[in-house]
Amino acid sequence: MNEGTSQYYFTASMDSGKTLCSLLKAIQFQETAVFCALAEGLKLTVEEGKCVQASAYVPSDNFTEYHVRDDVDVMFKISIAVLAECLNIFGSGEESSLKMYYRGEGSPLLLVLQPQSMHNVMTDCEISTQTADSVLELRDEDAAEVAKLVLKAPAFLGLLADLERSCDVIEINLSPDHPNVSIITYGMQDRSCIDMPKSSDMVQSFSCESPVTLRYQLHHIRLIMKALGISTKVVLRCSSNGLLLLQLKLEKEDQRQMFSEFYIVPLLDD
Amino acid sequence: MKCHVPGANVKVLGRTVHALARFGDELYLESLPDCILLRTLNAAESAYAMVKFNKNFFSYFNYNYYSTEDNEGLKCKISMKSALNTFKSPTHMDKQVENLEIKLDADACKLIFQLKCRHGIVKTHFVTILDCKAMQAVYTKDTVPNRITSPQRILSDALNNFQSSDDQLTLEATPLSLILRNYIDCSIDLTKIIRTQITLKPAEFDSYVIGTETIITFSLKEFRALLAFAEALNLPLQLHFETTGRPAVFIVHNGITFEAHFVLATTKPDSTSQTTATQNTSVERKKRKDTTSTQGSVKKKPHLDMDVSKCLDEDSHLFNFVEIPDENFIESNNKQNGHVSKDNKNNSKVEAMDCDNIPASPTSKTIKSVFKRCFESTFDPRSIQGVILAENSDSD
């Protein structure tokens, strides 16, 4: 760590901000996100009405340079829309290298972007930050995992896109017996049911000991669709308390990975 | 009833449902021993569509799967929204869906669509049946004097030139040309509209028979929908029509597996011929569709006649005429407005010469008299000098 950057709470640089930008857009269903720089990598968290929590993870190996001061918590609130906009400041066709600086509590996040195709052009962005609220701790360590599913993301996106928009409730039935996965939606007057056996090509792994029925708001499930669109693989984990955790893997050309994660709270029985 | 639709045909079925959805909000399904009929009627009862899928459209077809005692066909009415939900994206359907099973039980209250998709996924839609009635319109398509068979591209290319705000189309058919123009409502300000007219020569069409010269006006929305359907399936479109006030029938079929009839009401003729037209219509209502050797007009079962006549007596307004103001009214209206009063004399002169006096869009005459002069060899200002009822208010 050299003298110049050690005064900053957090500095990072990256060759291309494009993937980061699309990852941010995938969880951009709320105005602000909690930006948290950990030693392992960057994490941005967005919450909707204490029911859905979405996070974007960028492991530190995605950055060419990555420093976080280990004696302080680097955590602040930032407008995710503005951040995504700034990363895309040269347009979507342009790859631009990115540098991020955060001096300390209360100071803005500084971005320096430099397009790869042009020399001597750079943009300096200053995004003001706010003190972070506490982030919901949805994971309950006592609740055991009752089912785990690994699916191909594009195929799963296709299924979700075909669901009727007017439905409010989605019911997911998981069972060790055929059909292993069945997704039921209740519309105004009709009922639709999608059955997917574990032998299906889109199911890469399936584990479930005993049958479970889980109900969620379809609107909440639909929030993951943007992230599914840029991901290759999705892991669904169901806890015994009904909490659904979806982990999506985004693979880049350079074999490095970025992740997004969604916690979705179940609907309670009437 | 139980039937299986192979993957490639699911796309056709999906396209059909999407085309029918542009017509009406409810879908009627009827299963007969050798075919399945899908029908719809729009809310104004001015457009009707019927698509018949023959037995060979299906890979498995069992009309009497649940072995009911009565041999009548099963009928049901479902909401068009539910049907659309089953066939969400017809363009990709053939790649995703391997097989579709449709089940209709006489006692059940659900129509079941089961799609077997790629990756071993099975999608089942339980669609609520709203009613158990059948609905059918009666129209003539085989004895009409005017028949045109058009490649699907020509008419849709022609329609691309029209404004999206145009809602009615006037078709002027003569043995030498087919003229398409947008219908202009007399209440619309002429300075704010674009008039479009396209002339197509008989050589453009696969076949062109005009027995009686006529001008018909019908709704463009449904016409666009049926053209899109013909284009999606890459099949020619047959136009069968008589005169204005009588329904125009558009047919798309591939000769083997399915046949689609789209029937659009045309606007009423001017007041003098209205009485005869009404009489004709009542005659037509009794007349059955010809049962010729073509597979398209398969013999209707006798019980249907009852249904049909009942249906027509009760609530069919399918070919009721749309009220438009008659010629004289417009004329006097125009005089009052001083709209065309300046060249009133010329106007009437043109009117006398003008054989294509369109009752449907009366105000267009003003435009025509303007355009007509452009094509005359010499412009003679005296020809438009009439009694000036209203002086120019300003020099410019």
PDB file of all heavy atoms in Angstrom, chain B residues 87-114:
ATOM      1  N   PHE B  87     -50.843 -19.440 -25.357  1.00  0.00           N
ATOM      2  CA  PHE B  87     -49.973 -19.309 -26.531  1.00  0.00           C
ATOM      3  C   PHE B  87     -49.259 -17.970 -26.454  1.00  0.00           C
ATOM      4  O   PHE B  87     -49.543 -17.045 -27.223  1.00  0.00           O
ATOM      5  CB  PHE B  87     -50.802 -19.380 -27.808  1.00  0.00           C
ATOM      6  CG  PHE B  87     -51.542 -20.666 -27.952  1.00  0.00           C
ATOM      7  CD1 PHE B  87     -52.855 -20.782 -27.555  1.00  0.00           C
ATOM      8  CD2 PHE B  87     -50.912 -21.780 -28.479  1.00  0.00           C
ATOM      9  CE1 PHE B  87     -53.537 -21.974 -27.678  1.00  0.00           C
ATOM     10  CE2 PHE B  87     -51.587 -22.979 -28.600  1.00  0.00           C
ATOM     11  CZ  PHE B  87     -52.901 -23.083 -28.204  1.00  0.00           C
ATOM     12  N   LYS B  88     -48.361 -17.856 -25.500  1.00  0.00           N
ATOM     13  CA  LYS B  88     -47.795 -16.542 -25.220  1.00  0.00           C
ATOM     14  C   LYS B  88     -46.934 -15.987 -26.347  1.00  0.00           C
ATOM     15  O   LYS B  88     -47.120 -14.887 -26.785  1.00  0.00           O
ATOM     16  CB  LYS B  88     -47.016 -16.556 -23.923  1.00  0.00           C
ATOM     17  CG  LYS B  88     -47.601 -15.476 -23.063  1.00  0.00           C
ATOM     18  CD  LYS B  88     -47.039 -15.350 -21.746  1.00  0.00           C
ATOM     19  CE  LYS B  88     -47.821 -14.260 -21.036  1.00  0.00           C
ATOM     20  NZ  LYS B  88     -47.685 -14.364 -19.626  1.00  0.00           N
ATOM     21  N   SER B  89     -46.004 -16.760 -26.817  1.00  0.00           N
ATOM     22  CA  SER B  89     -45.144 -16.242 -27.887  1.00  0.00           C
ATOM     23  C   SER B  89     -45.123 -17.231 -29.043  1.00  0.00           C
ATOM     24  O   SER B  89     -44.287 -18.122 -29.076  1.00  0.00           O
ATOM     25  CB  SER B  89     -43.734 -15.996 -27.355  1.00  0.00           C
ATOM     26  OG  SER B  89     -43.327 -17.089 -26.574  1.00  0.00           O
ATOM     27  N   PRO B  90     -46.050 -17.059 -30.007  1.00  0.00           N
ATOM     28  CA  PRO B  90     -46.164 -18.035 -31.083  1.00  0.00           C
ATOM     29  C   PRO B  90     -44.923 -18.137 -31.960  1.00  0.00           C
ATOM     30  O   PRO B  90     -44.685 -19.169 -32.582  1.00  0.00           O
ATOM     31  CB  PRO B  90     -47.377 -17.557 -31.881  1.00  0.00           C
ATOM     32  CG  PRO B  90     -47.572 -16.142 -31.512  1.00  0.00           C
ATOM     33  CD  PRO B  90     -47.028 -15.986 -30.136  1.00  0.00           C
ATOM     34  N   THR B  91     -44.111 -17.065 -31.979  1.00  0.00           N
ATOM     35  CA  THR B  91     -42.932 -17.106 -32.858  1.00  0.00           C
ATOM     36  C   THR B  91     -41.917 -18.152 -32.412  1.00  0.00           C
ATOM     37  O   THR B  91     -41.263 -18.775 -33.232  1.00  0.00           O
ATOM     38  CB  THR B  91     -42.240 -15.735 -32.897  1.00  0.00           C
ATOM     39  OG1 THR B  91     -42.354 -15.146 -31.598  1.00  0.00           O
ATOM     40  CG2 THR B  91     -42.864 -14.830 -33.917  1.00  0.00           C
ATOM     41  N   HIS B  92     -41.794 -18.337 -31.103  1.00  0.00           N
ATOM     42  CA  HIS B  92     -40.795 -19.284 -30.618  1.00  0.00           C
ATOM     43  C   HIS B  92     -41.412 -20.640 -30.279  1.00  0.00           C
ATOM     44  O   HIS B  92     -40.702 -21.554 -29.888  1.00  0.00           O
ATOM     45  CB  HIS B  92     -40.101 -18.733 -29.378  1.00  0.00           C
ATOM     46  CG  HIS B  92     -39.588 -17.349 -29.577  1.00  0.00           C
ATOM     47  ND1 HIS B  92     -38.649 -17.044 -30.532  1.00  0.00           N
ATOM     48  CD2 HIS B  92     -39.904 -16.181 -28.972  1.00  0.00           C
ATOM     49  CE1 HIS B  92     -38.405 -15.747 -30.501  1.00  0.00           C
ATOM     50  NE2 HIS B  92     -39.167 -15.203 -29.573  1.00  0.00           N
ATOM     51  N   MET B  93     -42.723 -20.716 -30.408  1.00  0.00           N
ATOM     52  CA  MET B  93     -43.392 -21.895 -29.891  1.00  0.00           C
ATOM     53  C   MET B  93     -42.921 -23.197 -30.520  1.00  0.00           C
ATOM     54  O   MET B  93     -42.780 -24.198 -29.831  1.00  0.00           O
ATOM     55  CB  MET B  93     -44.884 -21.748 -30.078  1.00  0.00           C
ATOM     56  CG  MET B  93     -45.509 -21.384 -28.755  1.00  0.00           C
ATOM     57  SD  MET B  93     -47.224 -21.362 -28.792  1.00  0.00           S
ATOM     58  CE  MET B  93     -47.535 -21.873 -27.120  1.00  0.00           C
ATOM     59  N   ASP B  94     -42.677 -23.172 -31.822  1.00  0.00           N
ATOM     60  CA  ASP B  94     -42.319 -24.431 -32.481  1.00  0.00           C
ATOM     61  C   ASP B  94     -40.977 -24.962 -31.992  1.00  0.00           C
ATOM     62  O   ASP B  94     -40.712 -26.148 -32.049  1.00  0.00           O
ATOM     63  CB  ASP B  94     -42.334 -24.273 -34.003  1.00  0.00           C
ATOM     64  CG  ASP B  94     -41.466 -23.119 -34.458  1.00  0.00           C
ATOM     65  OD1 ASP B  94     -41.197 -22.220 -33.635  1.00  0.00           O
ATOM     66  OD2 ASP B  94     -41.050 -23.125 -35.623  1.00  0.00           O
ATOM     67  N   LYS B  95     -40.138 -24.030 -31.498  1.00  0.00           N
ATOM     68  CA  LYS B  95     -38.840 -24.485 -31.011  1.00  0.00           C
ATOM     69  C   LYS B  95     -38.938 -25.030 -29.590  1.00  0.00           C
ATOM     70  O   LYS B  95     -38.166 -25.894 -29.198  1.00  0.00           O
ATOM     71  CB  LYS B  95     -37.828 -23.335 -31.046  1.00  0.00           C
ATOM     72  CG  LYS B  95     -37.440 -22.951 -32.451  1.00  0.00           C
ATOM     73  CD  LYS B  95     -36.325 -21.921 -32.451  1.00  0.00           C
ATOM     74  CE  LYS B  95     -36.282 -21.168 -33.756  1.00  0.00           C
ATOM     75  NZ  LYS B  95     -36.992 -19.872 -33.702  1.00  0.00           N
ATOM     76  N   GLN B  96     -39.876 -24.492 -28.839  1.00  0.00           N
ATOM     77  CA  GLN B  96     -39.958 -24.885 -27.438  1.00  0.00           C
ATOM     78  C   GLN B  96     -40.922 -26.032 -27.182  1.00  0.00           C
ATOM     79  O   GLN B  96     -40.684 -26.870 -26.333  1.00  0.00           O
ATOM     80  CB  GLN B  96     -40.392 -23.675 -26.596  1.00  0.00           C
ATOM     81  CG  GLN B  96     -39.265 -22.681 -26.412  1.00  0.00           C
ATOM     82  CD  GLN B  96     -39.757 -21.359 -25.887  1.00  0.00           C
ATOM     83  OE1 GLN B  96     -40.942 -21.161 -25.671  1.00  0.00           O
ATOM     84  NE2 GLN B  96     -38.832 -20.437 -25.691  1.00  0.00           N
ATOM     85  N   VAL B  97     -42.014 -26.013 -27.926  1.00  0.00           N
ATOM     86  CA  VAL B  97     -43.070 -26.979 -27.636  1.00  0.00           C
ATOM     87  C   VAL B  97     -42.931 -28.198 -28.536  1.00  0.00           C
ATOM     88  O   VAL B  97     -42.760 -28.075 -29.740  1.00  0.00           O
ATOM     89  CB  VAL B  97     -44.455 -26.318 -27.830  1.00  0.00           C
ATOM     90  CG1 VAL B  97     -45.562 -27.301 -27.511  1.00  0.00           C
ATOM     91  CG2 VAL B  97     -44.563 -25.092 -26.966  1.00  0.00           C
ATOM     92  N   GLU B  98     -42.967 -29.355 -27.933  1.00  0.00           N
ATOM     93  CA  GLU B  98     -42.884 -30.576 -28.719  1.00  0.00           C
ATOM     94  C   GLU B  98     -44.265 -31.112 -29.060  1.00  0.00           C
ATOM     95  O   GLU B  98     -44.472 -31.725 -30.098  1.00  0.00           O
ATOM     96  CB  GLU B  98     -42.091 -31.637 -27.937  1.00  0.00           C
ATOM     97  CG  GLU B  98     -40.602 -31.331 -27.940  1.00  0.00           C
ATOM     98  CD  GLU B  98     -39.834 -32.047 -26.857  1.00  0.00           C
ATOM     99  OE1 GLU B  98     -40.455 -32.805 -26.090  1.00  0.00           O
ATOM    100  OE2 GLU B  98     -38.619 -31.836 -26.767  1.00  0.00           O
ATOM    101  N   ASN B  99     -45.194 -30.885 -28.166  1.00  0.00           N
ATOM    102  CA  ASN B  99     -46.515 -31.460 -28.354  1.00  0.00           C
ATOM    103  C   ASN B  99     -47.510 -30.702 -27.480  1.00  0.00           C
ATOM    104  O   ASN B  99     -47.178 -30.268 -26.391  1.00  0.00           O
ATOM    105  CB  ASN B  99     -46.459 -32.940 -27.940  1.00  0.00           C
ATOM    106  CG  ASN B  99     -47.720 -33.682 -28.274  1.00  0.00           C
ATOM    107  OD1 ASN B  99     -48.467 -33.290 -29.163  1.00  0.00           O
ATOM    108  ND2 ASN B  99     -47.978 -34.743 -27.539  1.00  0.00           N
ATOM    109  N   LEU B 100     -48.716 -30.544 -27.999  1.00  0.00           N
ATOM    110  CA  LEU B 100     -49.764 -29.903 -27.204  1.00  0.00           C
ATOM    111  C   LEU B 100     -50.959 -30.834 -27.135  1.00  0.00           C
ATOM    112  O   LEU B 100     -51.386 -31.384 -28.152  1.00  0.00           O
ATOM    113  CB  LEU B 100     -50.177 -28.569 -27.853  1.00  0.00           C
ATOM    114  CG  LEU B 100     -51.495 -27.929 -27.388  1.00  0.00           C
ATOM    115  CD1 LEU B 100     -51.424 -27.473 -25.945  1.00  0.00           C
ATOM    116  CD2 LEU B 100     -51.864 -26.748 -28.264  1.00  0.00           C
ATOM    117  N   GLU B 101     -51.448 -31.025 -25.933  1.00  0.00           N
ATOM    118  CA  GLU B 101     -52.631 -31.857 -25.775  1.00  0.00           C
ATOM    119  C   GLU B 101     -53.781 -30.974 -25.323  1.00  0.00           C
ATOM    120  O   GLU B 101     -53.636 -30.192 -24.392  1.00  0.00           O
ATOM    121  CB  GLU B 101     -52.341 -32.941 -24.730  1.00  0.00           C
ATOM    122  CG  GLU B 101     -53.466 -33.927 -24.549  1.00  0.00           C
ATOM    123  CD  GLU B 101     -53.093 -35.022 -23.549  1.00  0.00           C
ATOM    124  OE1 GLU B 101     -52.164 -35.801 -23.838  1.00  0.00           O
ATOM    125  OE2 GLU B 101     -53.714 -35.070 -22.486  1.00  0.00           O
ATOM    126  N   ILE B 102     -54.908 -31.083 -26.001  1.00  0.00           N
ATOM    127  CA  ILE B 102     -56.089 -30.314 -25.604  1.00  0.00           C
ATOM    128  C   ILE B 102     -57.154 -31.303 -25.156  1.00  0.00           C
ATOM    129  O   ILE B 102     -57.454 -32.265 -25.876  1.00  0.00           O
ATOM    130  CB  ILE B 102     -56.634 -29.460 -26.771  1.00  0.00           C
ATOM    131  CG1 ILE B 102     -55.533 -28.557 -27.329  1.00  0.00           C
ATOM    132  CG2 ILE B 102     -57.811 -28.611 -26.303  1.00  0.00           C
ATOM    133  CD1 ILE B 102     -55.910 -27.856 -28.612  1.00  0.00           C
ATOM    134  N   LYS B 103     -57.673 -31.105 -23.985  1.00  0.00           N
ATOM    135  CA  LYS B 103     -58.690 -32.013 -23.456  1.00  0.00           C
ATOM    136  C   LYS B 103     -59.932 -31.230 -23.076  1.00  0.00           C
ATOM    137  O   LYS B 103     -59.838 -30.181 -22.443  1.00  0.00           O
ATOM    138  CB  LYS B 103     -58.157 -32.743 -22.218  1.00  0.00           C
ATOM    139  CG  LYS B 103     -57.259 -33.920 -22.571  1.00  0.00           C
ATOM    140  CD  LYS B 103     -57.000 -34.796 -21.372  1.00  0.00           C
ATOM    141  CE  LYS B 103     -55.907 -34.225 -20.500  1.00  0.00           C
ATOM    142  NZ  LYS B 103     -55.372 -35.203 -19.538  1.00  0.00           N
ATOM    143  N   LEU B 104     -61.074 -31.753 -23.489  1.00  0.00           N
ATOM    144  CA  LEU B 104     -62.340 -31.115 -23.119  1.00  0.00           C
ATOM    145  C   LEU B 104     -63.295 -32.223 -22.696  1.00  0.00           C
ATOM    146  O   LEU B 104     -63.636 -33.109 -23.465  1.00  0.00           O
ATOM    147  CB  LEU B 104     -62.902 -30.332 -24.316  1.00  0.00           C
ATOM    148  CG  LEU B 104     -64.231 -29.627 -24.104  1.00  0.00           C
ATOM    149  CD1 LEU B 104     -64.146 -28.603 -22.988  1.00  0.00           C
ATOM    150  CD2 LEU B 104     -64.681 -28.940 -25.385  1.00  0.00           C
ATOM    151  N   ASP B 105     -63.679 -32.152 -21.462  1.00  0.00           N
ATOM    152  CA  ASP B 105     -64.579 -33.154 -20.902  1.00  0.00           C
ATOM    153  C   ASP B 105     -65.969 -32.541 -20.867  1.00  0.00           C
ATOM    154  O   ASP B 105     -66.122 -31.369 -20.535  1.00  0.00           O
ATOM    155  CB  ASP B 105     -64.086 -33.472 -19.483  1.00  0.00           C
ATOM    156  CG  ASP B 105     -64.875 -34.595 -18.852  1.00  0.00           C
ATOM    157  OD1 ASP B 105     -65.926 -34.952 -19.409  1.00  0.00           O
ATOM    158  OD2 ASP B 105     -64.435 -35.092 -17.810  1.00  0.00           O
ATOM    159  N   ALA B 106     -66.964 -33.325 -21.224  1.00  0.00           N
ATOM    160  CA  ALA B 106     -68.329 -32.804 -21.269  1.00  0.00           C
ATOM    161  C   ALA B 106     -68.790 -32.329 -19.896  1.00  0.00           C
ATOM    162  O   ALA B 106     -69.557 -31.380 -19.782  1.00  0.00           O
ATOM    163  CB  ALA B 106     -69.274 -33.861 -21.799  1.00  0.00           C
ATOM    164  N   ASP B 107     -68.320 -32.968 -18.842  1.00  0.00           N
ATOM    165  CA  ASP B 107     -68.795 -32.613 -17.504  1.00  0.00           C
ATOM    166  C   ASP B 107     -67.895 -31.612 -16.794  1.00  0.00           C
ATOM    167  O   ASP B 107     -68.304 -30.988 -15.824  1.00  0.00           O
ATOM    168  CB  ASP B 107     -68.880 -33.879 -16.633  1.00  0.00           C
ATOM    169  CG  ASP B 107     -69.758 -34.914 -17.297  1.00  0.00           C
ATOM    170  OD1 ASP B 107     -70.779 -34.506 -17.874  1.00  0.00           O
ATOM    171  OD2 ASP B 107     -69.407 -36.118 -17.255  1.00  0.00           O
ATOM    172  N   ALA B 108     -66.675 -31.493 -17.276  1.00  0.00           N
ATOM    173  CA  ALA B 108     -65.724 -30.649 -16.551  1.00  0.00           C
ATOM    174  C   ALA B 108     -66.007 -29.176 -16.789  1.00  0.00           C
ATOM    175  O   ALA B 108     -66.690 -28.802 -17.729  1.00  0.00           O
ATOM    176  CB  ALA B 108     -64.309 -30.961 -16.990  1.00  0.00           C
ATOM    177  N   CYS B 109     -65.503 -28.356 -15.903  1.00  0.00           N
ATOM    178  CA  CYS B 109     -65.668 -26.916 -16.098  1.00  0.00           C
ATOM    179  C   CYS B 109     -64.357 -26.290 -16.546  1.00  0.00           C
ATOM    180  O   CYS B 109     -64.212 -25.085 -16.531  1.00  0.00           O
ATOM    181  CB  CYS B 109     -66.181 -26.268 -14.828  1.00  0.00           C
ATOM    182  SG  CYS B 109     -65.202 -26.671 -13.405  1.00  0.00           S
ATOM    183  N   LYS B 110     -63.389 -27.124 -16.900  1.00  0.00           N
ATOM    184  CA  LYS B 110     -62.093 -26.591 -17.342  1.00  0.00           C
ATOM    185  C   LYS B 110     -61.729 -27.194 -18.702  1.00  0.00           C
ATOM    186  O   LYS B 110     -61.960 -28.373 -18.950  1.00  0.00           O
ATOM    187  CB  LYS B 110     -60.982 -26.979 -16.353  1.00  0.00           C
ATOM    188  CG  LYS B 110     -61.173 -26.433 -14.951  1.00  0.00           C
ATOM    189  CD  LYS B 110     -60.675 -25.024 -14.810  1.00  0.00           C
ATOM    190  CE  LYS B 110     -60.809 -24.585 -13.365  1.00  0.00           C
ATOM    191  NZ  LYS B 110     -60.561 -23.169 -13.184  1.00  0.00           N
ATOM    192  N   LEU B 111     -61.158 -26.361 -19.509  1.00  0.00           N
ATOM    193  CA  LEU B 111     -60.569 -26.827 -20.759  1.00  0.00           C
ATOM    194  C   LEU B 111     -59.075 -26.936 -20.467  1.00  0.00           C
ATOM    195  O   LEU B 111     -58.486 -26.021 -19.909  1.00  0.00           O
ATOM    196  CB  LEU B 111     -60.838 -25.796 -21.858  1.00  0.00           C
ATOM    197  CG  LEU B 111     -60.230 -26.018 -23.233  1.00  0.00           C
ATOM    198  CD1 LEU B 111     -60.860 -27.235 -23.900  1.00  0.00           C
ATOM    199  CD2 LEU B 111     -60.453 -24.796 -24.105  1.00  0.00           C
ATOM    200  N   ILE B 112     -58.489 -28.067 -20.805  1.00  0.00           N
ATOM    201  CA  ILE B 112     -57.101 -28.284 -20.402  1.00  0.00           C
ATOM    202  C   ILE B 112     -56.168 -28.225 -21.613  1.00  0.00           C
ATOM    203  O   ILE B 112     -56.376 -28.934 -22.599  1.00  0.00           O
ATOM    204  CB  ILE B 112     -56.952 -29.640 -19.675  1.00  0.00           C
ATOM    205  CG1 ILE B 112     -57.878 -29.660 -18.454  1.00  0.00           C
ATOM    206  CG2 ILE B 112     -55.501 -29.868 -19.243  1.00  0.00           C
ATOM    207  CD1 ILE B 112     -58.032 -31.020 -17.832  1.00  0.00           C
ATOM    208  N   PHE B 113     -55.188 -27.358 -21.524  1.00  0.00           N
ATOM    209  CA  PHE B 113     -54.125 -27.307 -22.530  1.00  0.00           C
ATOM    210  C   PHE B 113     -52.860 -27.809 -21.851  1.00  0.00           C
ATOM    211  O   PHE B 113     -52.432 -27.247 -20.847  1.00  0.00           O
ATOM    212  CB  PHE B 113     -53.878 -25.874 -22.992  1.00  0.00           C
ATOM    213  CG  PHE B 113     -54.986 -25.260 -23.779  1.00  0.00           C
ATOM    214  CD1 PHE B 113     -55.950 -24.475 -23.162  1.00  0.00           C
ATOM    215  CD2 PHE B 113     -55.073 -25.462 -25.155  1.00  0.00           C
ATOM    216  CE1 PHE B 113     -56.972 -23.887 -23.894  1.00  0.00           C
ATOM    217  CE2 PHE B 113     -56.083 -24.880 -25.895  1.00  0.00           C
ATOM    218  CZ  PHE B 113     -57.039 -24.090 -25.263  1.00  0.00           C
ATOM    219  N   GLN B 114     -52.266 -28.836 -22.383  1.00  0.00           N
ATOM    220  CA  GLN B 114     -51.028 -29.336 -21.792  1.00  0.00           C
ATOM    221  C   GLN B 114     -49.912 -29.272 -22.836  1.00  0.00           C
ATOM    222  O   GLN B 114     -49.974 -29.944 -23.862  1.00  0.00           O
ATOM    223  CB  GLN B 114     -51.233 -30.760 -21.305  1.00  0.00           C
ATOM    224  CG  GLN B 114     -50.094 -31.233 -20.431  1.00  0.00           C
ATOM    225  CD  GLN B 114     -50.468 -32.447 -19.622  1.00  0.00           C
ATOM    226  OE1 GLN B 114     -50.668 -33.522 -20.190  1.00  0.00           O
ATOM    227  NE2 GLN B 114     -50.586 -32.304 -18.315  1.00  0.00           N
TER     228      GLN B 114
END
